[in-house]
């Protein structure tokens, strides 16, 4: 096919993701689509993928994406005439340890919360389904009957044909060599066969996606890792309908293929490939067989399926797969470029994800926003840290090594640390701080008391920090604590158009008088919550915006994308400002001892932003709380953070540093919402109980207003509620199913423990198509399914802890 001179949308990469994206752009949106492939369709990593198709992930939205893939693969052959090799064999996941079995109990609960039927079965039932397996060490297995397997090349060719049938053009043998840019926008794609004008580019380049992105100044943080599997000769007694098999405690997987087995695994000592560009002409290429490295999998596989010991190996596949630093794939708009979208880094889940990823990516490209909550895979979860290829490579290899390990709650990565530290790092470490990491920042999670090892010991039950965190929690409730939250993302918006620009994107009224602080959400066109943050008006034409550490790139990009082209200056100032949060009933007393100014309630009411002088340092004091106590965020130049911290601790020897785990338990008692779990792009402020923060009574237009006006006054079909469990052994981690009168009505979005109450607490949406009203809520009996166990629960219509009712003038 002759290369056209222009196209509306150019998709780069002819693997399963690129072909699926082109198919959905053409089928669903009738877009003018051109797909460019440097080799042949499937010639990157798609052709050598193992082809296992699983659906369950920890995110409801990502699970929906994977379920969509299965539904698409079932019917695609009927549309295109090309078979996909889809077989719904079901999938067994084996458990040989108590922790793994608990993980599966929680996974089964999650599956049911997401509308999937996962069963837990005995070792005898596993033996019946897979007679060739040695089950002597099994506790049991999880069984998801709708999982299966497919032929990666056949699916991709079927999607490519479908894309052509709907009008897309696909040209093979074309190498992209660069982009012509107008500022942050691509105007033309340069190739070895000509230049093509375009409106948008979708980078589905697989392991080449990183270097393609770099041509436009875009960071795509992935790393190619060598992944091996073998294809065996025929095995007597192996059913062609044998379920796919994952044996994570032995780090291996199996699927039937032409009477034999495909067997591979995820080793703890993976072999990375290049940190630079992929060598030229690597299409349809493999590495040499490496049986020395693979022997660890072969040994474990033979122990599980003894027949393998006497079975020949037809072929070893040793190819590169794209993996990411957190094990989740990458979708969405590149923050550095106005019109490049990315679909890459699929961590060996490309076949399982391909159909659904192409669907949501096409929607994102055409509508400018994601069709559902895709935060877990959003490219904007990364930051400038991820431009460091060596760091990305190291962290990615750790993530690969964890592919089949037990996923313990609150588990942290170890590699590449410490990377970014606040000036208080050494002081807090000396106090026994046990640090976690968020976007490279070291943050104290909890403080080990004297005589206790300052280290996490992971488990499925109460972890070793449970007691110390309870002491920190109680200290904040009774006295005061200081949190180092310097990792907060911080921006400044200034200029004559700043106030109007913010009013147009903020759901709450933020252009208040100078010195006011406002909590607000930023909404999408559906009225869903894309971000929540605080905005302080420092001057008539200057605003200070603070949001969560992990949302730095996402929130900056969302704001920047919706600002006018002139009249404003928007700047990320995160590294310039340190933040200490002083929280607790004694906070004012302590602040009053160190501040030169009046800090009374009259001078510093809730929602105020003032400049205070502490130890000679000018500090932005924001009167706000996330723990349900009197408190301030104290923002100062980060070089002065130690001086301010020392002044506070000297003023009150009882003031103690507190970590993020206590922060979480404190906010749960107050039912404060956390973005990405309790509030997401799928949820409106009304559903989240945040309607009070929406300016519908004003006449000011803002993004999402039309959707909220359409919903106003109508019965809510879902509403965020608080639950407690009296059972002292109950451990809530989120995604537990909510039962009302024995019927599933939702699942928890957050779970933890409330030390003030002495009970486990969960937040979650209760759903009822006829309307979630107070009488209906109050009339029900509630239970939570916790790791498969139905446990009585109490529903609460109001926050569990309210210091306003206990203390006055806070």
């Amino acid at each position: 096919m002759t290369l056209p001179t222009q196209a509306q949308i150019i998709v780069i990469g002819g693997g399963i993701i690129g072909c699926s994206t082109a198919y959905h752009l053409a089928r669903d949106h009738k877009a003018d689509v051109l797909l460019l492939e440097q080799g042949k369709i499937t010639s990157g990593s798609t052709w050598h993928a193992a082809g296992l198709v699983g659906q369950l992930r920890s995110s409801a939205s990502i699970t929906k994406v994977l379920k969509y893939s299965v539904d698409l693969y079932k019917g695609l052959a009927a549309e295109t005439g090309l078979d996909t090799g889809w077989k719904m064999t079901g999938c067994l996941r084996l458990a040989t340890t108590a922790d793994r079995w608990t993980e599966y109990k929680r996974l089964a609960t999650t599956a049911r919360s997401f509308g999937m039927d996962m069963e837990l079965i005995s070792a005898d039932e596993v033996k019946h389904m897979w007679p060739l397996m040695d089950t002597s060490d099994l506790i049991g297995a999880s069984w998801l009957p709708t999982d299966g397997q497919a032929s990666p090349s056949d699916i991709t060719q079927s999607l490519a044909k479908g894309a052509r049938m709907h009008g897309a053009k696909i040209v093979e043998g074309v190498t992209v060599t660069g982009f012509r840019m107008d500022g942050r926008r691509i105007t033309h794609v340069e190739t070895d066969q000509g230049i093509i004008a375009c409106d948008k580019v979708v980078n589905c380049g697989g392991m080449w996606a990183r270097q393609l992105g770099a041509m436009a100044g875009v960071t795509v943080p992935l790393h190619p890792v060598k992944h091996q599997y073998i294809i065996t000769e025929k095995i007597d007694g192996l059913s062609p309908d044998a379920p796919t098999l994952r044996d994570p405690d032995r780090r291996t997987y199996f699927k039937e293929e032409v009477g034999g087995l495909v067997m591979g695994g995820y080793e703890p000592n993976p072999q990375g490939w290049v940190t630079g560009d992929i060598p030229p002409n690597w299409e349809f290429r493999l590495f040499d067989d490496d049986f020395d490295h693979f022997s660890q999998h072969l040994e474990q596989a033979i122990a599980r399926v003894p027949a393998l010991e006497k079975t020949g190996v037809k072929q070893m596949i040793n190819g590169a797969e794209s993996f990411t630093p957190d094990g989740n794939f990458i979708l969405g708009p590149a923050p550095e470029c106005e019109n490049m979208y990315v679909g890459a880094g699929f961590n060996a889940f490309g076949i399982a994800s391909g159909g659904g990823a192409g669907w949501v990516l096409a929607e994102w490209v055409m509508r400018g926003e994601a069709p559902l909550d895709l935060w877990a895979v959003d490219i904007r979860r990364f930051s400038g840290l991820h431009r460091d290829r060596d760091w990305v490579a190291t962290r990615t290899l750790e993530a690969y090594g964890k592919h089949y390990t037990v996923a313990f709650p609150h588990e942290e990565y170890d590699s590449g640390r410490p990377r970014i530290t606040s000036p208080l790092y050494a002081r807090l470490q000396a106090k026994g701080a046990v640090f976690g990491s968020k976007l490279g920042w070291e943050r104290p999670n909890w403080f080990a008391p004297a005589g206790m090892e300052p280290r996490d010991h992971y488990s499925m039950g109460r972890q070793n920090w449970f007691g110390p965190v309870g002491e920190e929690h109680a200290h904040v409730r009774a006295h005061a604590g200081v949190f180092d939250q310097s990792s907060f993302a911080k921006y400044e918006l200034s200029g004559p158009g700043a106030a109007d620009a913010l009013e147009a994107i903020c759901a709450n009224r933020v252009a208040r008088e100078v010195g006011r602080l406002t909590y607000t959400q930023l909404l999408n066109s559906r009225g869903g919550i894309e971000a929540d943050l605080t905005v302080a008006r420092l001057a008539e034409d200057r605003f200070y915006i603070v949001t969560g550490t992990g949302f730095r790139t996402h929130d900056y990009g969302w704001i920047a994308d919706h600002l006018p082209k002139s009249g404003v200056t928007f700047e990320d100032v995160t590294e310039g400002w340190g933040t200490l949060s002083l929280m607790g009933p004694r906070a004012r007393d302590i602040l009053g001892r160190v501040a030169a100014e009046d800090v009374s309630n009259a001078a510093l009411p809730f929602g105020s932003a003032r400049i205070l002088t502490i130890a000679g340092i000018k500090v932005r004091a924001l009167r706000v709380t996330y723990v349900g106590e009197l408190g301030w965020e104290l923002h100062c130049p980060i070089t002065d953070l130690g001086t301010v911290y020392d002044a506070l601790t000297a003023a009150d020897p009882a003031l103690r540093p507190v970590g993020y785990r206590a922060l979480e338990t404190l906010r749960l008692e107050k039912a404060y919402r956390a973005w990405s779990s309790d509030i997401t792009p799928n949820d409106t402020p009304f559903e989240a109980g945040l309607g009070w923060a929406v300016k519908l009574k004003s006449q000011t237009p803002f993004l999402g207003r039309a959707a909220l006006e359409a919903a106003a006054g109508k019965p809510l079909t879902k509403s965020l509620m608080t639950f407690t469990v009296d059972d002292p052994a109950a451990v809530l981690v989120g995604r537990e199913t909510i039962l009302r009168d024995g019927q599933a009505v939702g699942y928890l979005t957050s779970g933890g423990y409330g030390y003030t109450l002495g009970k486990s607490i969960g937040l979650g949406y209760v759903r009822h198509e006829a309307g979630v009203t107070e009488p209906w809520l109050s009339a029900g009996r509630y239970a939570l399914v916790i790791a498969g166990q139905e446990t009585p629960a109490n529903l609460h219509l109001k926050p569990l802890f309210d210091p306003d009712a206990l203390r006055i003038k806070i």
Side-chain angles (χ1 to χ4, degrees):
M1 178 183 287
T2 305
L3 205 63
T5 58
Q6 65 180 39
Q8 180 189 4
I9 301 168
I10 297 178
V11 178
I12 305 172
I16 190 167
I17 309 303
C19 289
S20 178
T21 304
Y23 168 82
H24 286 93
L25 283 168
R27 187 196 72 178
D28 298 345
H29 303 282
K30 314 304 178 194
D32 171 21
V33 183
L34 170 65
L35 186 149
L36 303 177
E37 164 54 46
Q38 64 181 347
K40 296 287 187 181
I41 295 297
T42 80
S43 64
S45 58
T46 296
W47 71 277
H48 62 71
L52 279 70
V53 180
Q55 300 165 83
L56 183 62
R57 299 294 281 267
S58 60
S59 157
S61 290
I62 305 307
T63 298
K64 184 175 182 178
V65 168
L66 301 186
K67 286 172 70 176
Y68 178 94
S69 293
V70 167
D71 291 339
L72 179 68
Y73 301 160
K74 286 177 184 176
L76 193 60
E79 178 187 350
T80 67
L82 293 182
D83 189 40
T84 62
W86 166 252
K87 287 200 302 183
M88 196 173 79
T89 57
C91 178
L92 288 166
R93 291 172 175 82
L94 309 182
T96 66
T97 68
D99 280 339
R100 183 73 69 183
W101 192 235
T102 300
E103 181 183 43
Y104 286 178
K105 288 178 180 177
R106 289 180 176 165
L107 275 176
T109 300
T110 297
R112 292 176 187 135
S113 291
F114 295 170
M116 302 176 71
D117 184 22
M118 175 181 277
E119 301 174 35
L120 297 181
I121 63 176
S122 69
D124 289 343
E125 290 173 293
V126 173
K127 184 71 172 180
H128 179 75
M129 297 170 72
W130 237 91
L132 296 177
M133 189 194 312
D134 178 359
T135 59
S136 61
D137 63 340
L138 292 189
I139 297 174
S142 70
W143 166 240
L144 194 57
T146 53
D147 278 358
Q149 61 190 67
S151 166
S153 292
D154 289 346
I155 287 179
T156 305
Q157 293 291 355
S158 190
L159 285 166
K161 182 177 180 182
R164 292 189 188 98
M165 288 168 59
H166 291 288
K169 303 178 185 69
I170 297 177
V171 185
E172 298 173 306
V174 179
T175 300
V176 173
T177 58
F179 301 101
R180 291 189 179 177
M181 310 286 294
D182 180 7
R184 296 175 59 249
R185 187 172 189 83
I186 296 170
T187 60
H188 298 75
V189 174
E190 299 173 338
T191 78
D192 59 352
Q193 296 179 31
I195 298 171
I196 314 158
C198 63
D199 294 332
K200 297 179 181 179
V201 171
V202 189
N203 177 359
C204 298
M207 58 187 170
W208 288 269
R210 183 175 62 186
Q211 62 204 64
L212 281 167
M215 294 176 187
V218 170
T219 300
V220 183
L222 52 79
H223 184 60
V225 181
K226 297 178 181 179
H227 184 75
Q228 297 185 89
Y229 65 86
I230 58 171
I231 305 171
T232 75
E233 302 285 356
K234 287 189 176 181
I235 301 176
D236 290 339
L238 179 64
S239 168
D241 296 321
T244 59
L245 189 66
R246 288 177 170 86
D247 189 3
D249 293 327
R250 293 186 181 274
R251 302 191 296 273
T252 52
Y253 61 79
F254 306 80
K255 77 162 187 173
E256 187 277 339
E257 185 163 297
V258 199
L261 282 175
V262 168
M263 187 280 289
Y266 293 88
E267 61 275 17
N269 58 335
Q271 297 177 317
W273 193 27
V274 292
T275 55
D277 289 350
I278 306 297
N281 304 313
W282 193 261
E283 302 81 36
F284 291 121
R285 292 276 300 277
L286 294 171
F287 303 108
D288 293 337
D289 296 348
D290 189 349
F291 275 99
D292 287 342
H293 191 73
F294 192 73
S295 62
Q296 58 189 302
H297 296 314
L298 202 53
E299 179 183 343
Q300 296 294 330
I302 290 171
R304 180 61 67 211
V305 185
L308 284 173
E309 189 169 17
K310 299 179 180 179
T311 302
V313 175
K314 286 201 299 188
Q315 186 180 9
M316 170 173 273
I317 304 292
N318 187 4
E321 296 269 8
S322 294
F323 285 81
T324 64
D326 63 1
N328 286 329
F329 51 88
I330 299 172
L331 290 181
E336 306 95 336
C337 178
E338 290 181 8
N339 59 340
M340 176 182 278
Y341 289 76
V342 179
F346 278 82
N347 303 281
F349 282 111
I351 309 308
S353 310
W359 159 55
V360 294
L361 193 51
E363 292 283 327
W364 214 335
V365 169
M366 296 304 295
R367 304 190 191 283
E369 61 184 43
L372 61 164
D373 171 27
L374 295 174
W375 169 246
V377 297
D378 194 321
I379 190 172
R380 293 168 297 182
R381 70 188 187 273
F382 301 114
S383 69
L385 161 69
H386 296 88
R387 298 188 189 108
D388 184 336
R389 289 186 173 188
D390 291 332
W391 190 93
V392 166
T394 301
R395 177 57 62 87
T396 300
L397 292 179
E398 183 185 6
Y400 179 104
K402 289 178 179 289
H403 195 88
Y404 273 165
T405 60
V406 174
F408 290 107
H410 313 290
E411 189 173 1
E412 296 276 352
Y413 284 97
D414 296 320
S415 60
R417 297 177 56 190
R419 176 69 181 213
I420 307 170
T421 60
S422 98
L424 301 184
Y425 182 77
R427 288 176 176 83
L428 299 179
Q429 194 172 43
K431 292 278 191 180
V434 181
F435 291 93
S437 179
K438 179 78 75 171
L439 273 194
W441 283 85
E442 292 293 314
R443 313 191 312 173
N445 277 339
W446 61 283
F447 289 82
M452 182 177 185
E453 181 188 22
R455 188 167 72 88
D456 285 324
H457 293 282
Y458 300 120
S459 74
M460 283 297 185
R462 301 276 184 228
Q463 298 186 4
N464 66 318
W465 46 262
F466 183 76
V469 168
E471 294 175 8
E472 294 173 36
H473 178 114
H475 195 77
V476 174
R477 287 280 185 250
H479 191 82
V482 60
F483 303 78
D484 182 3
Q485 297 190 285
S486 299
S487 63
F488 272 163
K490 300 167 282 275
Y491 324 121
E492 289 192 11
L493 183 70
S494 58
D500 289 342
L502 277 178
E503 285 295 315
I505 59 173
C506 292
N508 205 348
R509 189 166 71 87
V510 296
R512 302 172 189 266
E513 62 269 23
V514 173
R516 282 293 301 273
L517 175 76
T518 305
Y519 165 81
T520 187
Q521 299 115 40
L522 312 183
L523 308 181
N524 56 40
S525 64
R526 306 186 308 277
I529 303 170
E530 287 287 344
D532 77 327
L533 39 78
T534 57
V535 179
R537 191 168 198 174
L538 304 181
E540 288 294 325
D541 61 352
R542 191 176 178 209
F543 294 83
Y544 184 57
I545 303 168
V546 182
T547 191
T549 304
F551 315 134
R552 177 180 181 175
T553 307
H554 173 274
D555 291 4
Y556 181 91
W558 184 267
I559 295 170
D561 287 348
H562 294 89
L563 290 177
K565 297 297 183 184
S566 61
V568 296
T569 300
F570 189 42
E571 184 181 5
D572 186 323
V573 296
T574 298
E575 276 75 22
W577 292 87
T579 305
L580 295 174
S581 290
L582 177 65
M583 301 285 165
R586 299 298 299 276
R588 179 178 289 114
D589 298 339
I590 298 168
L591 191 59
R593 294 173 197 167
V594 297
E597 295 80 7
D598 180 8
V599 298
S600 67
N601 192 58
L604 277 177
F606 186 80
S608 60
R610 301 282 192 276
I611 302 298
L612 300 181
T613 308
I614 300 176
I617 308 300
K618 295 297 183 184
V619 175
R620 293 175 179 173
L622 310 183
R623 174 82 187 279
V624 66
T625 180
Y626 194 55
V627 304
E629 294 287 351
L630 169 67
W632 283 266
E633 288 175 13
L634 304 174
H635 296 249
C636 67
I638 199 162
T639 52
D640 296 321
L641 191 72
T643 301
V644 175
Y645 175 81
D646 289 343
L648 291 170
T649 54
D652 185 348
L655 180 65
R656 61 181 287 181
V658 179
Y660 272 81
R661 297 222 169 113
L663 186 75
E664 175 70 4
T665 68
L666 289 158
R667 74 98 184 168
L668 279 173
E669 289 186 341
K670 188 63 175 172
Y672 286 135
R673 283 73 166 134
W675 192 83
S676 80
S677 54
D678 308 314
I679 51 177
T680 75
N682 292 345
D683 313 307
T684 71
F686 299 152
E687 295 164 339
L690 297 172
W692 56 268
V694 176
K695 58 189 176 200
L696 278 185
K697 291 182 180 178
S698 77
Q699 299 305 309
T700 307
F702 61 90
L703 182 58
R705 179 172 186 133
L708 295 190
E709 285 179 332
K714 295 180 180 177
L716 293 174
T717 57
K718 71 175 188 180
S719 186
L720 191 66
M721 291 288 122
T722 300
F723 295 87
T724 57
V725 176
D726 294 331
D727 182 352
V731 177
L732 300 180
V733 296
R735 297 181 300 281
E736 290 84 359
T737 306
I738 302 167
L739 302 179
R740 180 186 181 275
D741 295 340
Q743 299 297 312
V745 292
Y747 57 89
L748 296 188
T749 52
S750 290
Y753 193 78
Y755 292 92
T756 309
L757 304 165
K759 296 180 181 181
S760 290
I761 303 174
L763 303 181
Y765 287 93
V766 175
R767 292 165 167 81
H768 185 224
E769 283 302 315
V772 180
T773 63
E774 283 199 18
W776 180 85
L777 287 166
S778 299
R781 288 182 302 103
Y782 294 91
L784 299 176
V785 182
I786 305 172
Q789 184 71 40
E790 186 174 323
T791 305
N794 308 298
L795 177 141
H796 303 270
L797 298 175
K798 295 182 180 180
L800 300 168
F801 180 78
D802 188 354
D804 292 319
L806 302 176
R807 309 184 186 101
I808 59 172
K809 297 183 179 179
I810 73 161

